[in-house]
Each structure stands twice: as C-alpha cells, then as structure tokens.
Amino acid sequence: AGGLAEFANEAAPGTYTVEWQEGSTLREAEAVTAVLTTSAGAEVAGEPAVIDALAGGAAGDVSRWVGFARTRVGGPGGFKELEAALDELDHHLTMRAFVSGYSATAADVAVWGALRGSAIFQRNLKTKREMLGAHLVRWYAHVDSLPFARRLAEGLAVANKQVNRGAKDQGSFDLGLTGVEYGNVVTRFPPEPSGYLHIGHAKAALLNEFVARSNGGRLIIRFDDTNPSKEKAEFEDSILEDLALLGISGDVMSHTSDHFQRIYELAVELIRRGLAYVDDTPTEVMRSERWDGVESKCRGLSVEENLARFQQMKEATEFGQTCCLRAKMSIDNPNKALRDPTIYRCNLIPHHRTGDQWKIYPIYDFACPVVDSIEGVTHALRSSEYRDRNPQYQWFFKALDLRPVQIMDFSRMNFTYTLLSKRKLQWFVNEGFVEGWNDPRFPTVRGIRRRGMTIEALRQYVLMQGASQRDMLLEWDKIWAVNKKVIDPKAPRHTALFKQGLVPATVVGGPEEPYVEPVLRHKKAPELGTKSTVFSSQLFIGQDDAAELAVGEELTLMDWGNAVVEKIEGDSPVTGVVLRLNLAGDVKATKRKITWLGQHPAAHPVEALLLDYDYLITKKKVEADENVADFLTPVTKFEQPAIVDANVAALPAGTIVQLERMGYFIIDRIAAESEVGAVTLI
C-alpha cells in the first residue's frame, strides 16, 4: 500500500503522505495493517481495501497483476503457494523489463511491495538468491532502485530509528529476545566433542549464527569438554570441518576447559555461601530421593565439612571418588531439574587437553551459565529439550552474582524414522549396522551430505523452519524437495541402465561406424559444458523399456531422434530389439521416450553400482525408554549393478548428477576407489 502511494506521488507530488506506526496492527481490536484517509476525512481500512483504492484506476493486465500480488504473493498461503507464485513470476519476466507494459506501472509496485514484505523472499534474496530465479531477481533489483521505492525505504528506516531510540527491547528472529543492541549481540554454539554433528546440531549452529550476524554481533564456537570419558580431539576437528561445510565460522573459538580454574573457584564460593554441599549418597538412593522429594542426609553439613569433602573430591581420594557436589536449590520443587542437581563429579580419565591436572569436572548445567557469563554471551539459544533446566541456568547467576545471560529455546528438528541420540547412533556404529558416522543412513551432517544433501539446501531449510518453539516431527521429503530445487539447475544429465536384463538393440539406418558427438550436459544450463555421446548402430536399452515395446511403434531415442520398432526377440525377458531410425519423425508426437547407450571402443559404457537406502528403524518415533533393537528395519541397503555413459567415469567423487529417468545421484566413489571396481552412486 505504501509503495502504491509513493508511486502515485511520482505523477502528482504530494498526493499522499505515508506514515508508519509501530506494532503488528494499527488498531488493537482489529487486524488492520493499512489505513487510507482521504482529504474529505473518509477512511478506508485494511490492506486489501487500501490497495484497491490506490490502484483503482488500474485495468486489464495491470489489475490482474495487482490482484496476483495481493492474493498469491502477499496472501495467507504457505511456502508452497509462494514458491509457485515466484516460479510463475520468474517465467513471466524472462523477456520483460516490467510486469506489464514497457514502463513501471501499479502492477510492478504491487508485486514489489508484496515481495518487500515477504520474510521468506527477503531471506532467500540475502542467502540464496539463485533459488529465486535470475529474471525475478533482476527485475526486483531494478524496481527496488526506482525513486518511489527509495523514498519508501528511507521513510521506513527513519520510523524504525525512532522506534529503536525509544524502545528498551528489540525482538530478533521471532524468539522474543530482549536487550538486543545492534553490534553488541554475542551468541554461542557449544558442541560436546564426543561425536559428529547431526542435523539437529546444524539447526542450533545456524540459528545462533543467524541471530549474531543479523544483529551485527559475534558468534563463539565453544567446545563443552567437561566429560573426558567421551571426548576426543578428533571430534573437535570433525566438528570444525562440519561447521566449515555449513559455512559457519566463529569469531572466537574456546573450550570450557579454558575456564576450569574459575569454575572450580565459583563452586567453592557456592559452598562458602551455603548454596552447595558434597553428597556421598549412593547413586541409586540419590536418584530415588530426588524423585520422591526426600532431603539428602548430607544437605545439612557445615560449610567447613563441605569444603573438606570437596578437597577430597579434588584430590580423588577413595572417599572423594564416592561423592558429588550438589547445588542447594530445592528438595521438592515440581520441576525435578531443580531438586539439588549435581554440579561436580570425579573422573580419573585424563582430559584430552588438560591431561591429569584435574580429577573433578563440572557438569554441563553448571559450567554452561558460568562460562556464558564469563565469555560475554548476551543471548543463549538452545533446543527445547533443556527447557526444564532454564530456571536452573538462571539460578546460578543470582547465586554467584554473575552477569545474567538471556536464554531462549527453540524446537528440536526431529524427523520421522530417525534417531538423533548420540548414544543410540553410537550403538549402530558399534554393532556394525552402518559403515560409520558418515553412513548415508545417518542424520549426521556428513551422512546426509554423502547422500547428496547440499549445504545450500540445509541452510535454506533450517532458516525456513525458523525459531519455532513448537515441537514437530518432520518428514524428510520436505528437505529433499528443497535440495532438488537447489541442484536441478546445475546437475549435469547423464544416462544409466540397469545391467540385469540389459537388451542389445540394432538400429537399422544408423551410422555405419560409431561416432562421438558433443551434447549439452544440461539443456537449460549450457555453461555446464558438453558430454561425449556415442551414436552407433548397436545400442543398449533397459529391460523395462524393451518389455513394453510393440512392433510398429514409433518411439524417441532421447538426445537422438525417433525410431520405429521392427522386431522384438524373446519374451519375459526380451533378449533383443531391432529399430529403424526415423530422424524425420516428430519427437513431440511420440508417447515413449527411452534412454539408451551406444557402443564405441573408445567410449564404451562403464560399470556402475547404484545404491539406495531405507530408514534404519521401522517406527516413526522411538521413545527414550524404548529399545531401538526392537524396531530395526531388516534390510536398509539396496544395490543395483548398472552401466553408465563413459563421461561419468571422469567425474570426481561428490559430483551430483541426474541420471535421466532415474533421479538425482551423487558420486560416492570413483571406480579406482570402489571395492567393486565400479563407479558407485547414491
């Protein structure tokens, strides 16, 4: 609406005055986001009505596009509806400088305004504009530079500054964050170096990075290395590599172990303040007492006795090793996380960074708020599984007079038929059900990348999910659909045929001698170059295609031309086919288009192994108390020997291709590195 008003001012300056008001609506009782007041004092309320009033003179094609902007781009539909609208726009603008006609009209302004107000479009424009389409991006940039658009943007910027000047809190990424000061925001991503990053970690890392970068702040990558029983330096290296693959680099890298001395001193201070005690109650008894809200026999020990006991823990004496340090929060709080949680325990295993300097280590729930405060973190974002422990996190700030940190949670990214528990994933590795942490069936960053997931798609998907606090069980097909949109414009096309039942075909009228000719790898992306295609009188075709042929039928040999079936040998299976080439035939008139591979001594099809995988488990969601062994999928790996065109042999591992009429594959291993001596594709 504001854009249309400023556009009208182009022809008649001063016709409208655009004013901005803080808030999501202009009226508390109504969802009204736009109001037009005429010179006579009459009022038009509501965005649709105001748009109609401002574009009232529009007719024909312009009117249609104004309606398109209001209902298709700026309407109540979801991502799929917007995606379809953007595709339609990009196609429409292929040979056009403006939406309608040869100069800017209300159609351009309305569509531009709807896109300007679309969070999804603006996010993609910043992070992955190629997904939007080159023509749409070109047009949007041009309209965005026009005088009316600049005036509108300047007016909004001034209004935002005025709001920010008087506001105490600023929101960020729908998390309800307060105290956001541009340039002073510090977030952190604190992985434990005890395994590989999975897709859930990727969400946490990307959201923390997003909040930091969008507010001109800093991101800390901190390794939470408080449990030497699980942690290894090799996991730190792999985590940094995975973060690099995600395009994430911290401004600071630290370790919780950097602060062990200070954390220890603060634990002693808790004891001195009567806010912590050393408990030697047996583990099972302690667990039962906490559950039932029963006070520990050690809760009333004196400060002196607790300090002496904590020293024994530090020295790892025989008695000290039977103890733990507990924070004196509550005995019977309904939130069991607050029932005197353990904050220190003994561990004699040497630490991978500090060696045997320490025999006691802080629990994550104590170390995390302490180090967050020490390192200057302003906003701690973590998944909702920690929600019950948020009051615990905040308790330590008050108990130790530490600078508080705002903590907010977001929903975990849970997927159907998928395990994200490191303990359960480790079980699959230990039992030999998978090749390792990079197995294509695993939800690790390395596993899904090996299966063909691009980092661009992963980032897009996470940011589209946003920072919702509502737990959802997501389907994998959605993220793979995003991935398809990323790879389709740039995946070279190649040909593969299953070896089982491979059918030789003779082409009457074909070349007397085989020859090789360059063909575009991707007809819509000539910049990808060409591939060498063999044309010969002796071909291979697939059994499935051959079984459906009928004598006299005209078909299309893809990337060559038409042919007529003259003879079919054998039946279930077909053992041979004779075709007569008919290059004068109309390829648009045939119903059947088949893939094929020619035979040439210098460019013969190469051996390949096509791999496909099923879910590791048969249940959509395995609960924490359930045994994963009860839900194992009997067979999860499927191999299909094939032949592919010779060009594939020259592609490096990691290349994503589309095998015509089969789907998208990633080259997992080249033939020289494959155990079966064939190119392996997933």
Side-chain angles (χ1 to χ4, degrees):
L4 287 167
E6 287 289 9
F7 185 68
N9 286 338
E10 292 282 291
T15 303
Y16 297 103
T17 299
V18 178
E19 296 181 357
W20 301 91
Q21 181 174 314
E22 181 187 5
S24 57
T25 66
L26 295 177
R27 296 172 178 168
E28 293 184 6
E30 304 173 65
V32 174
T33 58
V35 173
L36 174 66
T37 304
T38 68
S39 57
E43 190 178 84
V44 178
E47 182 92 1
V50 172
I51 290 175
D52 287 342
L54 292 171
D61 193 48
V62 173
S63 178
R64 182 175 72 83
W65 282 106
V66 170
F68 177 93
R70 191 178 68 227
T71 59
R72 296 282 304 284
V73 181
F79 173 74
K80 286 186 177 180
E81 290 78 5
L82 177 60
E83 183 181 35
L86 297 181
D87 286 343
E88 184 175 339
L89 268 172
D90 184 62
H91 178 73
H92 176 75
L93 292 164
T94 300
M95 299 294 289
R96 293 179 172 88
F98 299 97
V99 171
S100 181
Y102 300 98
S103 61
T105 65
D108 296 277
V109 180
V111 174
W112 171 85
L115 294 174
R116 188 80 161 72
S118 167
I120 294 175
F121 177 83
Q122 292 298 322
R123 191 181 304 141
N124 286 345
L125 191 65
K126 291 179 180 178
T127 60
K128 199 62 185 175
R129 58 176 52 204
E130 57 264 33
M131 289 186 67
L132 299 173
H135 309 298
L136 176 57
V137 170
R138 163 188 54 77
W139 167 86
Y140 182 85
H142 174 61
V143 176
D144 206 43
S145 69
L146 296 178
F148 86 89
R150 292 203 304 271
R151 284 199 307 276
L152 193 70
E154 290 167 1
L156 178 58
V158 170
N160 281 333
K161 285 182 180 179
Q162 292 172 345
V163 170
N164 292 342
R165 195 174 297 122
K168 294 181 180 179
D169 303 321
Q170 289 297 305
S172 178
F173 206 56
D174 297 325
L175 273 167
L177 299 177
T178 60
V180 176
E181 297 180 13
Y182 191 86
N184 294 320
V185 171
V186 180
T187 63
R188 87 292 194 263
F189 174 60
E192 181 184 15
S194 60
Y196 294 85
L197 291 189
H198 58 56
I199 193 167
H201 297 128
K203 176 176 181 177
L206 287 167
L207 286 184
N208 275 283
E209 183 208 35
F210 181 90
V211 170
R213 303 294 178 233
S214 62
N215 290 287
R218 296 184 301 127
L219 171 68
I220 298 172
I221 305 297
R222 180 202 309 146
F223 288 105
D224 175 49
D225 54 346
T226 57
N227 187 355
S229 298
K230 297 181 179 180
E231 296 147 5
K232 297 178 182 178
E234 67 182 77
F235 288 131
E236 290 191 12
D237 296 335
S238 69
I239 288 170
L240 290 175
E241 290 171 5
D242 288 345
L243 289 174
L245 290 174
L246 291 169
I248 296 173
S249 60
D251 301 285
V252 178
M253 190 183 81
S254 68
H255 295 76
T256 299
S257 57
D258 297 337
H259 307 281
F260 275 172
Q261 180 62 38
R262 182 56 181 154
I263 299 171
Y264 167 76
E265 292 169 358
L266 290 171
V268 171
E269 183 61 26
L270 279 177
I271 296 174
R272 292 188 189 281
R273 296 185 181 191
L275 296 175
Y277 62 96
V278 176
D279 197 342
D280 64 340
T281 302
T283 302
E284 290 303 320
V285 176
M286 186 186 302
R287 183 178 293 116
S288 176
E289 288 179 347
R290 290 191 71 217
W291 182 264
D292 296 331
V294 176
E295 179 176 342
S296 167
K297 60 182 175 62
C298 301
R299 201 173 198 267
L301 293 175
S302 67
V303 169
E304 291 73 18
E305 176 65 18
N306 280 315
L307 288 173
R309 285 182 164 211
F310 195 45
Q311 182 63 27
Q312 290 203 56
M313 285 182 62
K314 185 182 180 187
E315 295 172 0
T317 66
E318 184 176 348
F319 173 74
Q321 292 180 50
T322 67
C323 300
C324 66
L325 182 66
R326 298 175 66 181
K328 194 181 288 187
M329 293 185 186
S330 172
I331 299 170
D332 55 1
N333 192 295
N335 180 354
K336 292 183 174 62
L338 295 178
R339 294 185 180 180
D340 290 3
T342 298
I343 60 174
Y344 253 97
R345 79 290 197 216
C346 289
N347 193 327
L348 303 187
I349 296 176
H351 190 279
H352 71 282
R353 294 188 75 238
T354 62
D356 57 4
Q357 178 183 355
W358 294 92
K359 302 294 190 299
I360 53 172
Y361 294 92
I363 299 295
Y364 170 83
D365 288 332
F366 176 48
C368 185
V370 168
V371 179
D372 281 350
S373 184
I374 291 173
E375 292 189 337
V377 173
T378 60
H379 297 82
L381 283 63
R382 59 186 189 180
S383 60
S384 55
E385 64 188 295
Y386 294 99
R387 186 171 296 162
D388 287 346
R389 287 186 270 177
N390 287 351
Q392 185 188 103
Y393 179 93
Q394 294 157 343
W395 183 90
F396 288 110
F397 298 134
K398 295 179 181 179
L400 290 166
D401 300 319
L402 296 174
R403 179 189 62 82
V405 177
Q406 185 185 167
I407 186 164
M408 294 296 294
D409 47 47
F410 52 83
S411 63
R412 287 190 62 176
M413 199 151 66
N414 297 308
F415 285 86
T416 56
Y417 304 104
T418 303
L419 299 167
L420 294 180
S421 162
K422 281 193 286 188
R423 179 178 59 83
K424 291 177 179 177
L425 293 176
Q426 183 69 60
W427 181 82
F428 276 94
V429 175
N430 294 343
E431 295 296 318
F433 289 117
V434 294
E435 300 171 18
W437 288 89
N438 69 337
D439 191 282
R441 290 160 288 194
F442 259 18
T444 54
V445 171
R446 295 180 176 218
I448 59 176
R449 273 187 56 77
R450 189 176 166 198
R451 198 162 182 172
M453 177 63 61
T454 61
I455 294 304
E456 297 97 315
L458 183 56
R459 289 182 66 94
Q460 285 287 326
Y461 184 78
V462 168
L463 294 178
M464 281 192 296
Q465 291 295 313
S468 168
Q469 296 185 14
R470 178 186 174 191
D471 288 329
M472 293 183 292
L473 196 59
L474 304 170
E475 300 286 347
W476 279 101
D477 59 348
K478 303 291 176 59
I479 189 171
W480 286 114
V482 175
N483 195 58
K484 178 182 176 181
K485 193 170 182 67
V486 171
I487 65 178
D488 182 73
K490 52 190 177 184
R493 274 48 173 170
H494 290 277
T495 301
L497 300 171
F498 295 137
K499 284 187 69 176
Q500 184 174 1
L502 198 64
V503 178
T506 299
V507 181
V508 178
E512 294 184 6
E513 295 293 332
Y515 67 92
V516 178
E517 190 172 278
V519 174
L520 286 175
R521 291 179 183 270
H522 192 318
K523 293 181 178 64
K524 296 181 180 179
E527 65 274 13
L528 293 178
T530 61
K531 58 185 177 182
S532 298
T533 299
V534 174
F535 296 87
S536 66
S537 295
Q538 299 299 319
L539 311 178
F540 290 119
I541 64 174
Q543 179 66 219
D544 289 346
D545 284 332
E548 294 181 352
L549 297 179
V551 174
E553 176 184 3
E554 186 167 3
L555 54 84
T556 297
L557 298 170
M558 294 175 63
D559 287 335
W560 192 353
N562 286 5
V564 178
V565 180
E566 289 199 338
K567 184 179 181 182
I568 300 173
E569 300 172 354
D571 182 24
S572 299
V574 175
T575 56
V577 172
V578 177
L579 306 171
R580 178 174 294 279
L581 202 61
N582 179 29
L583 297 182
D586 183 3
V587 297
K588 295 181 179 180
T590 60
K591 292 183 178 180
R592 197 182 309 282
K593 274 78 173 171
I594 68 172
T595 46
W596 53 278
L597 287 170
Q599 302 180 47
H600 189 293
H604 199 275
V606 297
E607 298 282 327
L609 185 66
L610 307 184
L611 301 179
D612 194 13
Y613 297 92
D614 198 355
Y615 297 116
L616 289 168
I617 55 176
T618 58
K619 189 177 182 183
K620 274 194 170 186
K621 182 182 180 182
V622 176
E623 302 299 337
D625 59 346
E626 291 182 320
N627 186 355
V628 67
D630 296 334
F631 306 102
L632 296 180
T633 305
V635 181
T636 59
K637 183 177 181 179
F638 304 90
E639 300 179 351
Q640 185 72 267
I643 58 172
V644 294
D645 65 76
N647 303 274
V648 176
L651 299 176
T655 302
I656 294 176
V657 301
Q658 184 188 70
L659 298 181
E660 299 278 15
R661 300 173 64 220
M662 286 189 180
Y664 297 95
F665 287 79
I666 185 170
I667 297 177
D668 187 50
R669 293 186 178 94
I670 60 174
E673 298 174 355
S674 172
E675 297 173 356
V676 295
V679 180
T680 305
L681 299 98
I682 297 175

